[in-house]
Amino acid sequence: QQLVLARKIVGPIYFDGTITAERYRTEILTTFINELHDDELREGYFQQDGATPHVTRENLNFLTEFFENRIISRNTQQIWPPRSCDLTPCDFFLWPFIKNSIYRTPVEDLNDLKRRISEKIAEINNSPDVLLNVSLRVRRNIRRCLEVGGGHIK
């Protein structure tokens, strides 16, 4: 699990087994929120997919404590539009960037894969222009999506 901010990527957070609502809140959300700056808590939006553990009442209440009505998700005021990868930094940037980088050579085992992912994220975090460009692209894509009334953008 990685969480993308304009300043850095939080994570990766590795976990074994099933992610329950409680594990999501205690192992992922709490870690993420502890990494935020005050301005990100005051002004930022939190976006997540609609996976069942993410949208439990307990987790949405937990997020509301920090983001009030600036939560983009299922079961919130800001409903996350389905199939909207153009607006999701992990989908349009992070996963392809990491995948194309780490699979240039065969991965030996799970530890090798985790090491490569961690190294690539550290590399991205040490290149502030990369995340700035991603943040600007998100804003551009949101404007384009609004211009077409929420329809598909190219």
Side-chain angles (χ1 to χ4, degrees), residues 29-37:
L29 292 178
T30 301
T31 301
F32 172 70
I33 288 171
N34 288 336
E35 294 287 328
L36 296 176
H37 292 89

Side-chain angles (χ1 to χ4, degrees), residues 53-105:
H54 300 178
V55 297
T56 63
R57 182 171 309 189
E58 293 83 9
N59 286 343
L60 292 176
N61 287 342
F62 177 79
L63 288 168
T64 301
E65 290 178 37
F66 301 97
F67 296 99
E68 299 169 348
N69 65 344
R70 294 171 286 118
I71 303 166
I72 302 169
S73 179
R74 189 164 52 96
N75 300 337
T76 65
Q77 289 178 305
Q78 308 287 332
I79 298 172
W80 182 241
R83 297 176 209 79
S84 53
C85 62
D86 293 328
L87 305 178
T88 308
C90 290
D91 289 337
F92 75 73
F93 164 71
L94 186 61
W95 308 147
F97 186 78
I98 289 176
K99 183 179 174 184
N100 291 336
S101 300
I102 64 175
Y103 286 113
R104 286 188 178 156
T105 59

Side-chain angles (χ1 to χ4, degrees), residues 6 14 34 69 73 101 105 112 116 123-125 127 135 143:
Y14 300 110
N34 288 336
N69 65 344
S73 179
S101 300
T105 59
D112 183 38
R116 290 181 190 199
E123 180 184 316
I124 294 167
N125 282 338
S127 305
S135 178
R143 279 193 304 275

Side-chain angles (χ1 to χ4, degrees), residues 38-55:
D38 289 343
D39 63 317
E40 292 166 325
L41 286 169
R42 271 192 324 273
E43 302 165 15
Y45 279 75
F46 182 86
Q47 171 188 320
Q48 67 180 1
D49 64 20
T52 302
H54 300 178
V55 297

